[in-house]
């Protein structure tokens, strides 16, 4: 009976150990993926910033922090002001870029939530393993006490 309980507990420990290993692997994969996405996003953002800074028309629309300047009027080299269509086009590009940035940030938050959820599951699995170890140990001790207690009374 003790051997059966021992085998059962060992199989539970192995099962929980494999689950923990899988959670760790998933967490590390998600962390790597998140870091790659962040690096790619930073790279794209830097490319866009450099292009905007190098463009005469675009650089005057943004301040040093990358924010849009308000009430900016630009006059090209030939002296004619930009048309409303060009301004609308630039505004639409800006909105698209802001939307893309928001989507990237959302993906980042979702990835962080997944990581947090996986870490929570990992903690629960670790707690289960610890509880299984304690339960097995207590059962074994109780059965040994019961057997030795019974034998001690019979010899007296």
């Amino acid at each position: 009976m003790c051997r059966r309980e021992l085998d059962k507990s060992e199989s539970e420990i192995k099962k929980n150990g494999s689950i923990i290993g899988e959670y760790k692997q998933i967490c590390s994969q998600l962390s790597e993926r998140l870091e790659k996405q962040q690096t790619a996003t930073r790279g794209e953002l830097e490319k866009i910033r450099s292009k905007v800074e190098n463009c005469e028309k675009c650089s005057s629309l943004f301040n040093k922090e990358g924010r849009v300047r308000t009430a900016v009027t630009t006059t090209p080299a030939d002296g004619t002001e930009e048309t409303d269509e060009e301004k609308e086009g630039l505004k639409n590009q800006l909105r698209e870029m802001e939307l893309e940035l928001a989507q990237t940030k959302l993906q980042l938050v979702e990835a962080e939530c997944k990581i947090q959820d996986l870490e929570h599951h990992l903690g629960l699995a670790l707690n289960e393993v610890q509880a299984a170890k304690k339960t097995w140990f207590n059962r074994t001790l109780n059965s040994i006490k019961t057997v030795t207690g019974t034998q001690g009374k019979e010899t007296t």
Side-chain angles (χ1 to χ4, degrees), residues 36-101:
K36 286 178 184 177
Q37 284 181 343
Q38 286 176 333
T39 304
T41 304
R42 284 187 199 115
E44 289 178 28
L45 184 60
E46 286 304 315
K47 285 179 186 177
I48 292 170
R49 277 192 180 146
S50 67
K51 286 181 181 180
V52 167
E53 287 173 359
N54 293 334
C55 175
E56 291 178 22
K57 291 181 181 180
C58 300
S59 62
S60 62
L61 295 175
F62 297 95
N63 60 16
K64 291 180 181 179
E65 294 84 33
R67 304 264 185 239
V68 177
R69 292 184 183 169
T70 55
V72 175
T73 57
T74 58
T75 306
D78 61 356
T80 59
E81 291 205 16
E82 287 184 357
T83 63
D84 288 342
E85 291 176 2
E86 290 174 336
K87 288 181 182 180
E88 280 300 313
L90 290 172
K91 286 180 182 179
N92 287 338
Q93 283 180 336
L94 177 63
R95 280 189 218 113
E96 289 174 10
M97 292 169 90
E98 288 174 342
L99 179 62
E100 188 176 323
L101 177 62

Side-chain angles (χ1 to χ4, degrees), residues 27 34 62-63 69 74-75 95 104 109 120 125 128-129 132 156:
C27 286
L34 176 63
F62 297 95
N63 60 16
R69 292 184 183 169
T74 58
T75 306
R95 280 189 218 113
T104 304
V109 169
H120 174 70
E128 287 178 15
V129 168
T156 326

